[in-house]
Structure formats: C-alpha cells, structure tokens
Amino acid sequence: TELVTYHERKREYDVALQYAREARDILEKNFGPDSIELTSVLIALGRLFVFKRSFPEAKLVYKKALQNTEAKMGEFHPQTAAIIYELGTFYFVRPESIQRLKKKNMTELLGNKDFWLSRDYSSVKLINNKDKSEQTVNRKQFSHDKAEEFFLRALGSFEQVLGPDHPEVARVLNRMGSLYIEKMQFAEAENSLLRALRIRMATFGAAHTRVGQTYRHLFTLFEGQEEWTRALEFGEK
C-alpha cells in the first residue's frame, strides 16, 4: 500500500495500479472480500481507475467500498464519509483551469454565439446511436448534481462524527466551494470557502498550503465576479 501511494504521487499509474491490485488480493485472501480492511486500497484503486480513464471500474470499486463500510460501520463513520467524498469527487466536473468569467451577466455570455464558436471542439468524438456501448464504457458520467449530493452527505457525516470544525469538514467545504463556482452559485461558494478558511486557519495557521489552496479558490470566485478588491485581497494572501 505504501508503494501504491509512492507511484501514484509520481504519476506512475500503471505501476501503482499493479501494486493496488496485489494489495487488494492479499487483503481479500486474509480478511475476506467484504472486509473494511480493504477500504483504503479500494479508494486508491478508484482514483487510479479514474486516472486511467476506466470510469466504470472506478465507480464499481467506490460503490463496493461504500457497501462494505456502511454495512460494518454505518453511515456516520469517518471511513464511510471518506468514500462518499470520493464518490462526490468522481462525479465532479473540474476543468484543468476554471473559465475566467469576463462578464457579470453569465446568461449573456453563455447565450453569445461567438463564445461557443470560439471553443475548441477538435478533440470531441461524435458517437451515433449504434455506438452507445462504446459511449457508456469510455465516457465518464459527469454530474454536478450527483457530486453535490455526495459532498453534502460526506459533510453531514464528518460534522456529526468529527465535529463542525474538523479539517475533514474543511476539505469537503473547500471542494464544494469549487463545485459551486462551476455551477455559478456564487453565494454558496463564498459561504463554503469562507467557512473552510476559518477552520483551516484555526487548525493549520495562516502559512499552511491548505490555507493557500482556499485563498486561491476565493481569488477565482471574486475575480470571476469582477469584485477586484476582494480578489486582490485573497490573491495577495
């Protein structure tokens, strides 16, 4: 399992996947296929399948991990909440860089023909009705709504088990803030990110990288709304 983490961090996903499968097989042999001892390995497998674009396999692994852990520990347990969070991340659509909003009126922007004509569709593959099986296998089923559903479940579980000011709560809030930015729900994004910031500041101190991560999301949020003063405040921090 340590080698899984090592190679995953080095982005050597094929090697990490090999070790993760080996670790899973050993744990299943010793503890059985439904043991919670498999939880961390199954979560790692899920992430690796996502990196390898094997989305159906990732979904199956996450759901197996959730089934095992919920059966043994119940819904309100840190391990259960961690898997629910990973499922939220699975459904969360996050582009490599968030589109910088250049107009306050997003309806105007998205309704502008020139905006859509300027997009690069060169990598898009059109699939006809006869190729639905290929579409199901190769396309990740992105869903902001499903991501929000799982994030809210994870948040409620972490809050009940670990308390409202725990770093795991902040981790979920930080991701939810990013999700709400993409959904253009800016008030919800601000509330989530500011709460995450308060928890992380109290836990880690002002100079920690996790605090910087939340500052970055707040910068993106306010820059996108052309609230320049607040964007600059968080950008400088």
Side-chain angles (χ1 to χ4, degrees), residues 86-169:
E86 292 291 341
L87 274 164
T89 301
F90 173 81
Y91 284 110
F92 177 32
V93 180
R94 184 174 183 180
E96 292 182 1
S97 59
I98 295 174
Q99 171 69 34
R100 295 294 189 255
L101 312 179
K102 297 183 178 179
K103 296 183 181 179
K104 290 183 181 179
N105 188 339
M106 290 306 300
T107 302
E108 179 186 349
L109 174 61
L110 298 178
N112 187 337
K113 181 179 179 181
D114 291 336
F115 172 81
W116 296 107
L117 290 176
S118 68
R119 302 302 91 190
D120 180 10
Y121 299 105
S122 60
S123 62
V124 174
K125 179 180 179 181
L126 298 178
I127 300 174
N128 60 35
N129 290 333
K130 295 180 181 180
D131 296 327
K132 283 186 177 179
S133 60
E134 179 182 352
Q135 184 182 35
T136 302
V137 171
N138 294 326
R139 181 177 62 83
K140 181 177 178 180
Q141 298 176 353
F142 296 119
S143 171
H144 281 161
D145 292 336
K146 282 185 174 292
E148 183 179 9
E149 174 190 341
F150 282 113
F151 285 149
L152 287 171
R153 282 182 61 190
L155 180 65
S157 185
F158 278 133
E159 286 178 328
Q160 179 162 329
V161 176
L162 302 176
D165 299 321
H166 193 276
E168 287 297 316
V169 172

Coordinates of all heavy atoms in Angstrom, one line a residue, residues 86-169:
E86 N -15.2 10.7 -1.9 CA -14.5 10.2 -3.1 C -15.6 10.1 -4.3 O -15.3 10.4 -5.4 CB -13.8 8.9 -2.9 CG -12.6 9.0 -2.0 CD -11.4 9.8 -2.6 OE1 -11.4 10.0 -3.9 OE2 -10.6 10.3 -1.9
L87 N -16.8 9.6 -4.0 CA -17.8 9.5 -5.0 C -18.2 10.8 -5.5 O -18.5 11.0 -6.7 CB -19.0 8.7 -4.4 CG -18.9 7.2 -4.5 CD1 -19.9 6.5 -3.6 CD2 -19.1 6.7 -6.0
G88 N -18.3 11.8 -4.6 CA -18.6 13.2 -5.0 C -17.5 13.7 -5.9 O -17.8 14.3 -7.0
T89 N -16.3 13.4 -5.6 CA -15.1 13.8 -6.5 C -15.2 13.1 -7.8 O -14.9 13.7 -8.9 CB -13.8 13.5 -5.8 OG1 -13.7 14.2 -4.5 CG2 -12.6 13.9 -6.6
F90 N -15.7 11.9 -7.8 CA -15.8 11.1 -9.1 C -16.8 11.8 -10.0 O -16.5 11.9 -11.2 CB -16.3 9.7 -8.8 CG -16.6 8.9 -10.0 CD1 -15.6 8.3 -10.8 CD2 -18.0 8.8 -10.4 CE1 -16.0 7.6 -11.9 CE2 -18.3 8.1 -11.6 CZ -17.3 7.5 -12.3
Y91 N -17.9 12.3 -9.5 CA -18.9 13.0 -10.4 C -18.6 14.5 -10.6 O -19.2 15.1 -11.5 CB -20.3 12.9 -9.7 CG -20.9 11.5 -9.8 CD1 -21.0 10.7 -8.7 CD2 -21.3 11.0 -11.0 CE1 -21.6 9.4 -8.8 CE2 -21.9 9.7 -11.1 CZ -22.0 9.0 -10.0 OH -22.6 7.7 -10.1
F92 N -17.6 15.0 -9.9 CA -17.4 16.4 -10.0 C -16.6 16.8 -11.3 O -15.5 16.3 -11.5 CB -16.6 16.9 -8.8 CG -16.2 18.3 -8.8 CD1 -17.0 19.3 -9.4 CD2 -15.0 18.8 -8.2 CE1 -16.6 20.6 -9.4 CE2 -14.6 20.1 -8.1 CZ -15.4 21.0 -8.7
V93 N -17.2 17.6 -12.1 CA -16.5 18.1 -13.3 C -15.7 19.3 -13.0 O -16.2 20.3 -12.6 CB -17.6 18.5 -14.4 CG1 -16.9 19.0 -15.6 CG2 -18.5 17.4 -14.7
R94 N -14.4 19.1 -13.1 CA -13.5 20.2 -12.9 C -12.5 20.4 -14.0 O -11.6 19.5 -14.1 CB -12.8 20.1 -11.5 CG -11.9 21.3 -11.2 CD -11.3 21.2 -9.9 NE -10.5 22.4 -9.6 CZ -9.9 22.7 -8.5 NH1 -9.8 21.7 -7.5 NH2 -9.2 23.8 -8.3
P95 N -12.6 21.4 -14.9 CA -11.7 21.5 -16.0 C -10.3 21.9 -15.4 O -10.1 22.2 -14.3 CB -12.3 22.7 -16.8 CG -13.1 23.4 -15.8 CD -13.6 22.4 -14.8
E96 N -9.3 21.7 -16.3 CA -7.9 22.0 -15.9 C -7.7 23.4 -15.4 O -7.0 23.7 -14.4 CB -7.0 21.7 -17.0 CG -6.9 20.2 -17.4 CD -5.9 20.0 -18.5 OE1 -5.3 20.9 -18.9 OE2 -5.8 18.8 -18.9
S97 N -8.5 24.3 -15.9 CA -8.4 25.7 -15.4 C -9.9 26.2 -15.5 O -10.5 26.0 -16.5 CB -7.5 26.6 -16.2 OG -7.9 26.6 -17.6
I98 N -10.3 26.8 -14.5 CA -11.7 27.3 -14.4 C -11.8 28.5 -15.4 O -11.0 29.4 -15.4 CB -12.1 27.8 -13.0 CG1 -12.1 26.5 -12.1 CG2 -13.5 28.4 -13.0 CD1 -12.4 26.8 -10.7
Q99 N -12.8 28.5 -16.2 CA -13.0 29.6 -17.2 C -13.2 30.9 -16.4 O -14.0 31.0 -15.6 CB -14.3 29.3 -18.0 CG -14.8 30.5 -18.9 CD -13.8 30.7 -20.0 OE1 -13.3 29.7 -20.5 NE2 -13.7 31.9 -20.4
R100 N -12.3 31.8 -16.8 CA -12.4 33.1 -16.1 C -13.6 33.9 -16.7 O -13.8 34.0 -17.9 CB -11.1 33.9 -16.4 CG -9.9 33.3 -15.8 CD -9.9 33.4 -14.3 NE -8.7 33.0 -13.7 CZ -8.5 31.8 -13.1 NH1 -9.4 31.0 -13.0 NH2 -7.3 31.6 -12.6
L101 N -14.4 34.3 -15.8 CA -15.7 35.0 -16.2 C -15.3 36.5 -16.5 O -14.8 37.2 -15.7 CB -16.7 34.9 -15.0 CG -16.9 33.5 -14.4 CD1 -17.9 33.6 -13.3 CD2 -17.2 32.5 -15.5
K102 N -15.7 36.9 -17.7 CA -15.3 38.2 -18.1 C -16.5 39.1 -18.2 O -16.4 40.3 -18.5 CB -14.7 38.2 -19.5 CG -13.3 37.5 -19.5 CD -12.6 37.5 -20.8 CE -11.3 36.8 -20.8 NZ -10.6 36.8 -22.1
K103 N -17.7 38.6 -17.9 CA -18.9 39.4 -17.8 C -19.7 39.0 -16.6 O -19.7 37.9 -16.2 CB -19.8 39.2 -19.0 CG -19.1 39.6 -20.3 CD -20.1 39.4 -21.5 CE -19.4 39.8 -22.8 NZ -20.3 39.6 -24.0
K104 N -20.3 40.0 -15.9 CA -21.1 39.7 -14.8 C -22.4 38.9 -15.1 O -22.8 38.1 -14.4 CB -21.5 41.0 -14.1 CG -20.3 41.7 -13.4 CD -20.8 43.0 -12.7 CE -19.7 43.7 -12.0 NZ -20.1 44.9 -11.3
N105 N -22.9 39.2 -16.3 CA -24.1 38.5 -16.7 C -23.8 37.3 -17.4 O -23.5 37.3 -18.6 CB -25.0 39.5 -17.6 CG -26.3 38.9 -17.9 OD1 -26.5 37.7 -17.8 ND2 -27.3 39.8 -18.3
M106 N -23.8 36.1 -16.7 CA -23.4 34.9 -17.4 C -24.4 34.4 -18.4 O -24.0 33.7 -19.3 CB -23.2 33.8 -16.3 CG -22.0 34.0 -15.4 SD -20.5 34.3 -16.4 CE -20.4 32.7 -17.2
T107 N -25.6 34.7 -18.2 CA -26.6 34.4 -19.2 C -26.3 35.0 -20.6 O -26.4 34.4 -21.6 CB -28.0 34.9 -18.8 OG1 -28.3 34.3 -17.5 CG2 -29.1 34.4 -19.8
E108 N -25.8 36.3 -20.5 CA -25.4 37.0 -21.7 C -24.2 36.3 -22.4 O -24.1 36.1 -23.6 CB -25.1 38.4 -21.4 CG -24.6 39.2 -22.6 CD -24.1 40.6 -22.3 OE1 -24.4 41.0 -21.1 OE2 -23.5 41.2 -23.1
L109 N -23.2 35.9 -21.5 CA -22.0 35.2 -22.0 C -22.4 33.9 -22.7 O -22.0 33.6 -23.8 CB -21.0 35.0 -20.9 CG -19.8 34.2 -21.3 CD1 -19.0 34.9 -22.3 CD2 -18.9 33.9 -20.0
L110 N -23.1 33.0 -22.0 CA -23.4 31.7 -22.5 C -24.4 31.7 -23.7 O -24.5 30.8 -24.4 CB -23.9 30.8 -21.4 CG -23.0 30.6 -20.2 CD1 -23.6 29.8 -19.1 CD2 -21.7 30.0 -20.7
G111 N -25.1 32.8 -23.8 CA -26.0 33.0 -24.9 C -25.4 33.6 -26.1 O -26.1 33.8 -27.1
N112 N -24.1 34.0 -26.0 CA -23.4 34.6 -27.1 C -22.9 33.6 -28.1 O -22.1 32.7 -27.7 CB -22.3 35.5 -26.5 CG -21.6 36.3 -27.5 OD1 -21.7 36.0 -28.7 ND2 -21.0 37.4 -27.0
K113 N -23.3 33.7 -29.3 CA -22.9 32.7 -30.3 C -21.4 32.7 -30.5 O -20.8 31.6 -30.7 CB -23.6 33.1 -31.6 CG -23.3 32.1 -32.8 CD -24.0 32.5 -34.1 CE -23.6 31.6 -35.2 NZ -24.3 32.0 -36.5
D114 N -20.8 33.9 -30.4 CA -19.3 33.9 -30.6 C -18.6 33.2 -29.5 O -17.5 32.6 -29.8 CB -18.8 35.4 -30.6 CG -19.3 36.1 -31.8 OD1 -19.6 35.5 -32.9 OD2 -19.4 37.4 -31.8
F115 N -19.1 33.1 -28.3 CA -18.5 32.4 -27.2 C -18.4 30.9 -27.6 O -17.3 30.3 -27.4 CB -19.3 32.5 -25.9 CG -18.8 31.7 -24.8 CD1 -17.8 32.0 -24.0 CD2 -19.5 30.5 -24.5 CE1 -17.3 31.2 -23.0 CE2 -19.1 29.6 -23.5 CZ -18.0 30.0 -22.7
W116 N -19.5 30.3 -28.1 CA -19.5 28.9 -28.4 C -18.7 28.6 -29.7 O -18.0 27.6 -29.8 CB -20.9 28.4 -28.6 CG -21.7 28.5 -27.4 CD1 -22.6 29.4 -27.0 CD2 -21.5 27.7 -26.2 NE1 -23.1 29.2 -25.8 CE2 -22.4 28.2 -25.2 CE3 -20.7 26.6 -25.9 CZ2 -22.5 27.6 -23.9 CZ3 -20.7 26.1 -24.6 CH2 -21.7 26.6 -23.7
L117 N -18.7 29.6 -30.6 CA -17.9 29.4 -31.9 C -16.4 29.4 -31.6 O -15.6 28.9 -32.3 CB -18.2 30.5 -32.9 CG -19.6 30.4 -33.5 CD1 -19.9 31.6 -34.4 CD2 -19.8 29.1 -34.3
S118 N -16.0 30.1 -30.5 CA -14.6 30.2 -30.1 C -14.1 29.0 -29.4 O -12.9 28.8 -29.2 CB -14.3 31.4 -29.3 OG -14.9 31.3 -28.0
R119 N -14.9 28.0 -29.0 CA -14.5 26.8 -28.3 C -13.8 25.9 -29.2 O -14.0 25.8 -30.4 CB -15.7 26.1 -27.7 CG -16.5 26.9 -26.7 CD -15.8 27.4 -25.5 NE -15.3 28.7 -25.8 CZ -14.4 29.4 -25.0 NH1 -13.9 28.8 -24.0 NH2 -14.0 30.6 -25.3
D120 N -12.8 25.1 -28.7 CA -12.1 24.2 -29.5 C -12.7 22.8 -29.3 O -12.7 22.2 -28.3 CB -10.6 24.1 -29.0 CG -9.8 23.1 -29.7 OD1 -10.3 22.6 -30.8 OD2 -8.7 22.8 -29.3
Y121 N -13.3 22.3 -30.4 CA -14.0 21.0 -30.4 C -13.2 19.9 -31.1 O -13.8 18.9 -31.5 CB -15.4 21.2 -31.0 CG -16.3 22.1 -30.3 CD1 -16.6 23.4 -30.8 CD2 -16.9 21.8 -29.1 CE1 -17.4 24.3 -30.2 CE2 -17.7 22.7 -28.4 CZ -18.0 23.9 -29.0 OH -18.8 24.8 -28.3
S122 N -12.0 20.2 -31.4 CA -11.2 19.3 -32.2 C -11.1 17.9 -31.6 O -10.9 16.9 -32.3 CB -9.8 19.9 -32.5 OG -9.1 20.1 -31.2
S123 N -11.1 17.8 -30.2 CA -10.9 16.5 -29.6 C -12.3 15.8 -29.3 O -12.3 14.7 -28.7 CB -10.2 16.7 -28.3 OG -10.9 17.5 -27.4
V124 N -13.4 16.4 -29.7 CA -14.7 15.8 -29.4 C -15.0 14.7 -30.4 O -14.8 14.9 -31.7 CB -15.8 16.9 -29.5 CG1 -17.2 16.2 -29.3 CG2 -15.6 17.9 -28.4
K125 N -15.4 13.6 -30.0 CA -15.7 12.5 -30.8 C -17.2 12.3 -30.9 O -17.9 12.1 -29.9 CB -15.1 11.2 -30.3 CG -15.4 9.9 -31.2 CD -14.8 8.7 -30.6 CE -15.1 7.5 -31.5 NZ -14.5 6.2 -31.0
L126 N -17.8 12.4 -32.1 CA -19.3 12.2 -32.2 C -19.6 10.7 -32.3 O -18.9 10.0 -33.0 CB -19.8 12.9 -33.5 CG -19.5 14.4 -33.5 CD1 -20.0 15.0 -34.9 CD2 -20.3 15.1 -32.4
I127 N -20.6 10.3 -31.5 CA -20.9 8.9 -31.4 C -22.4 8.7 -31.8 O -23.3 9.4 -31.2 CB -20.7 8.4 -30.0 CG1 -19.2 8.6 -29.6 CG2 -21.1 6.9 -29.9 CD1 -18.9 8.2 -28.2
N128 N -22.7 7.9 -32.8 CA -24.1 7.7 -33.2 C -24.7 6.7 -32.3 O -24.1 6.1 -31.4 CB -24.1 7.3 -34.6 CG -23.4 6.0 -34.9 OD1 -23.4 5.1 -34.1 ND2 -22.8 5.8 -36.1
N129 N -26.0 6.4 -32.5 CA -26.8 5.6 -31.6 C -26.3 4.1 -31.6 O -26.5 3.4 -30.6 CB -28.3 5.6 -32.1 CG -28.9 6.9 -31.8 OD1 -28.5 7.6 -30.9 ND2 -30.0 7.3 -32.6
K130 N -25.6 3.7 -32.7 CA -25.1 2.4 -32.7 C -23.9 2.2 -31.8 O -23.6 1.0 -31.5 CB -24.8 2.0 -34.2 CG -26.0 2.0 -35.1 CD -25.5 1.6 -36.5 CE -26.7 1.6 -37.5 NZ -26.3 1.2 -38.9
D131 N -23.3 3.3 -31.4 CA -22.1 3.2 -30.6 C -22.3 3.5 -29.1 O -21.5 3.9 -28.4 CB -21.0 4.1 -31.1 CG -20.6 3.8 -32.5 OD1 -20.6 2.6 -32.8 OD2 -20.3 4.7 -33.3
K132 N -23.6 3.2 -28.7 CA -23.9 3.6 -27.3 C -23.1 2.8 -26.3 O -22.7 3.3 -25.2 CB -25.4 3.4 -27.0 CG -26.2 4.5 -27.6 CD -27.7 4.3 -27.2 CE -28.5 5.5 -27.7 NZ -30.0 5.4 -27.3
S133 N -22.7 1.5 -26.6 CA -21.9 0.7 -25.7 C -20.6 1.3 -25.5 O -20.0 1.4 -24.4 CB -21.8 -0.7 -26.2 OG -21.2 -0.7 -27.5
E134 N -20.0 1.8 -26.6 CA -18.7 2.4 -26.6 C -18.8 3.7 -25.7 O -17.9 4.0 -24.9 CB -18.2 2.8 -28.0 CG -16.8 3.4 -28.0 CD -16.3 3.8 -29.4 OE1 -17.0 3.4 -30.3 OE2 -15.3 4.5 -29.5
Q135 N -19.9 4.5 -25.9 CA -20.0 5.7 -25.2 C -20.1 5.4 -23.7 O -19.6 6.1 -22.9 CB -21.3 6.4 -25.7 CG -21.6 7.7 -25.0 CD -22.9 8.3 -25.5 OE1 -23.9 7.6 -25.7 NE2 -22.9 9.6 -25.6
T136 N -20.9 4.3 -23.3 CA -21.0 4.0 -21.9 C -19.7 3.6 -21.3 O -19.4 4.0 -20.1 CB -22.0 2.8 -21.8 OG1 -23.2 3.2 -22.3 CG2 -22.2 2.5 -20.3
V137 N -18.9 2.9 -22.0 CA -17.6 2.4 -21.5 C -16.6 3.6 -21.3 O -15.9 3.7 -20.3 CB -17.0 1.3 -22.4 CG1 -15.6 1.0 -22.0 CG2 -17.9 0.1 -22.3
N138 N -16.5 4.4 -22.3 CA -15.4 5.4 -22.4 C -15.7 6.8 -21.8 O -14.8 7.6 -21.6 CB -14.9 5.5 -23.8 CG -14.3 4.3 -24.3 OD1 -13.7 3.5 -23.6 ND2 -14.5 4.0 -25.6
R139 N -17.0 7.1 -21.6 CA -17.4 8.4 -21.2 C -17.7 8.4 -19.7 O -18.5 7.6 -19.2 CB -18.6 8.9 -21.9 CG -19.0 10.3 -21.5 CD -20.2 10.8 -22.4 NE -21.3 9.9 -22.2 CZ -22.2 10.1 -21.2 NH1 -22.0 11.0 -20.3 NH2 -23.2 9.3 -21.1
K140 N -17.0 9.3 -18.9 CA -17.3 9.4 -17.5 C -18.6 10.1 -17.4 O -18.9 11.1 -18.0 CB -16.2 10.2 -16.8 CG -16.4 10.4 -15.3 CD -15.3 11.2 -14.7 CE -15.5 11.4 -13.2 NZ -14.4 12.1 -12.6
Q141 N -19.5 9.7 -16.5 CA -20.8 10.2 -16.3 C -20.7 11.4 -15.3 O -21.0 11.3 -14.1 CB -21.8 9.2 -15.7 CG -21.9 8.0 -16.7 CD -22.8 6.9 -16.2 OE1 -23.2 6.9 -15.0 NE2 -23.1 5.9 -17.0
F142 N -20.3 12.6 -15.8 CA -20.2 13.8 -15.0 C -21.5 14.2 -14.6 O -22.5 14.2 -15.3 CB -19.5 14.9 -15.8 CG -18.1 14.6 -16.2 CD1 -17.7 14.5 -17.5 CD2 -17.1 14.4 -15.3 CE1 -16.4 14.3 -17.9 CE2 -15.8 14.1 -15.6 CZ -15.5 14.1 -17.0
S143 N -21.6 14.7 -13.4 CA -22.9 15.3 -12.9 C -22.6 16.2 -11.7 O -22.2 15.7 -10.6 CB -23.8 14.1 -12.4 OG -25.0 14.7 -11.8
H144 N -22.8 17.5 -11.9 CA -22.7 18.4 -10.7 C -23.7 18.1 -9.6 O -23.3 18.2 -8.4 CB -22.9 19.8 -11.2 CG -21.7 20.4 -11.9 ND1 -21.7 21.5 -12.7 CD2 -20.4 20.1 -11.9 CE1 -20.5 21.8 -13.2 NE2 -19.7 20.9 -12.7
D145 N -24.9 17.7 -10.0 CA -25.9 17.4 -9.1 C -25.5 16.2 -8.2 O -25.7 16.2 -7.0 CB -27.3 17.2 -9.7 CG -27.8 18.5 -10.4 OD1 -27.4 19.6 -9.9 OD2 -28.6 18.4 -11.3
K146 N -25.1 15.2 -8.8 CA -24.6 14.0 -8.0 C -23.4 14.3 -7.2 O -23.4 13.8 -6.0 CB -24.3 12.8 -9.0 CG -25.5 12.1 -9.5 CD -25.1 10.9 -10.4 CE -26.3 10.1 -10.8 NZ -27.0 9.4 -9.6
A147 N -22.5 15.1 -7.7 CA -21.4 15.5 -6.9 C -21.8 16.3 -5.7 O -21.4 16.0 -4.5 CB -20.4 16.4 -7.7
E148 N -22.7 17.2 -5.8 CA -23.2 18.0 -4.7 C -23.9 17.1 -3.7 O -23.8 17.2 -2.5 CB -24.2 19.1 -5.2 CG -24.7 20.0 -4.1 CD -25.6 21.0 -4.6 OE1 -26.0 21.0 -5.7 OE2 -25.9 21.9 -3.8
E149 N -24.7 16.1 -4.2 CA -25.4 15.2 -3.3 C -24.4 14.4 -2.4 O -24.6 14.3 -1.2 CB -26.2 14.2 -4.2 CG -26.9 13.1 -3.4 CD -27.5 12.0 -4.3 OE1 -27.7 12.3 -5.5 OE2 -27.7 10.9 -3.8
F150 N -23.4 13.9 -3.0 CA -22.4 13.1 -2.2 C -21.6 14.0 -1.3 O -21.3 13.6 -0.2 CB -21.5 12.3 -3.2 CG -22.1 11.1 -3.7 CD1 -22.4 10.9 -5.1 CD2 -22.4 10.0 -2.9 CE1 -23.0 9.8 -5.6 CE2 -23.0 8.8 -3.4 CZ -23.3 8.7 -4.7
F151 N -21.2 15.2 -1.8 CA -20.5 16.1 -0.9 C -21.3 16.5 0.3 O -20.8 16.6 1.4 CB -20.1 17.4 -1.7 CG -18.9 17.2 -2.7 CD1 -18.9 17.9 -3.8 CD2 -18.0 16.2 -2.4 CE1 -17.8 17.7 -4.7 CE2 -16.9 16.0 -3.3 CZ -16.9 16.8 -4.5
L152 N -22.6 16.7 0.1 CA -23.4 17.1 1.3 C -23.6 16.0 2.2 O -23.6 16.2 3.5 CB -24.8 17.6 0.8 CG -24.9 18.9 0.1 CD1 -26.2 19.2 -0.6 CD2 -24.6 20.0 1.1
R153 N -23.7 14.7 1.7 CA -23.7 13.6 2.6 C -22.4 13.4 3.4 O -22.4 13.2 4.6 CB -24.0 12.3 1.8 CG -25.4 12.1 1.3 CD -25.5 10.8 0.6 NE -25.2 9.6 1.4 CZ -25.0 8.4 0.9 NH1 -25.2 8.2 -0.4 NH2 -24.7 7.4 1.7
A154 N -21.3 13.6 2.7 CA -20.0 13.5 3.4 C -19.9 14.6 4.4 O -19.4 14.3 5.5 CB -18.9 13.6 2.4
L155 N -20.3 15.8 4.1 CA -20.2 16.9 5.0 C -21.0 16.6 6.3 O -20.5 16.8 7.4 CB -20.7 18.2 4.4 CG -20.7 19.4 5.2 CD1 -19.2 19.8 5.6 CD2 -21.4 20.6 4.5
G156 N -22.2 16.1 6.1 CA -23.1 15.8 7.3 C -22.5 14.7 8.1 O -22.5 14.8 9.4
S157 N -21.9 13.7 7.5 CA -21.3 12.6 8.3 C -20.1 13.1 9.0 O -19.9 12.8 10.2 CB -21.0 11.5 7.3 OG -20.5 10.3 8.0
F158 N -19.2 13.8 8.4 CA -18.0 14.3 9.0 C -18.4 15.2 10.2 O -17.7 15.2 11.3 CB -17.1 15.0 8.1 CG -16.2 14.1 7.2 CD1 -16.1 14.3 5.9 CD2 -15.4 13.1 7.8 CE1 -15.3 13.5 5.1 CE2 -14.6 12.3 7.1 CZ -14.5 12.5 5.7
E159 N -19.3 16.1 10.0 CA -19.7 17.0 11.1 C -20.3 16.3 12.3 O -20.0 16.6 13.4 CB -20.8 18.0 10.5 CG -20.3 19.1 9.6 CD -21.3 20.0 9.1 OE1 -22.5 19.5 8.9 OE2 -21.1 21.1 8.8
Q160 N -21.1 15.2 12.0 CA -21.7 14.5 13.1 C -20.6 13.7 13.9 O -20.6 13.6 15.1 CB -22.8 13.6 12.6 CG -23.4 12.8 13.7 CD -24.8 12.2 13.3 OE1 -25.5 12.8 12.6 NE2 -25.1 11.0 13.9
V161 N -19.7 13.1 13.2 CA -18.7 12.2 13.8 C -17.5 12.9 14.3 O -17.0 12.6 15.4 CB -18.2 11.1 12.8 CG1 -17.2 10.2 13.4 CG2 -19.4 10.3 12.3
L162 N -17.0 13.9 13.6 CA -15.7 14.6 13.9 C -15.9 16.0 14.5 O -15.0 16.6 15.0 CB -14.8 14.6 12.7 CG -14.5 13.3 12.1 CD1 -13.6 13.5 10.8 CD2 -13.7 12.4 13.1
G163 N -17.1 16.5 14.3 CA -17.4 17.9 14.8 C -17.3 18.9 13.7 O -16.7 18.6 12.6
P164 N -18.0 20.1 13.8 CA -18.1 21.0 12.7 C -16.8 21.8 12.4 O -16.8 22.4 11.3 CB -19.1 22.0 13.3 CG -19.0 21.9 14.8 CD -18.6 20.5 15.1
D165 N -15.8 21.7 13.2 CA -14.6 22.4 12.9 C -13.4 21.5 12.6 O -12.2 21.9 12.8 CB -14.2 23.3 14.1 CG -15.3 24.4 14.4 OD1 -15.9 24.9 13.4 OD2 -15.6 24.6 15.6
H166 N -13.6 20.3 12.2 CA -12.5 19.4 11.9 C -12.0 19.6 10.5 O -12.7 20.1 9.6 CB -13.1 17.9 12.0 CG -12.0 16.9 12.0 ND1 -11.4 16.4 10.8 CD2 -11.4 16.2 13.0 CE1 -10.5 15.5 11.2 NE2 -10.5 15.4 12.5
P167 N -10.7 19.4 10.3 CA -10.1 19.6 8.9 C -10.7 18.8 7.8 O -10.8 19.3 6.7 CB -8.6 19.1 9.1 CG -8.3 19.3 10.6 CD -9.6 19.0 11.3
E168 N -11.3 17.6 8.1 CA -12.0 16.9 7.1 C -13.3 17.6 6.6 O -13.6 17.6 5.4 CB -12.4 15.5 7.6 CG -11.2 14.5 7.7 CD -10.5 14.3 6.3 OE1 -11.3 14.0 5.3 OE2 -9.3 14.3 6.3
V169 N -13.9 18.3 7.6 CA -15.1 19.1 7.2 C -14.6 20.3 6.3 O -15.2 20.5 5.3 CB -15.7 19.7 8.5 CG1 -16.8 20.8 8.1 CG2 -16.3 18.6 9.3

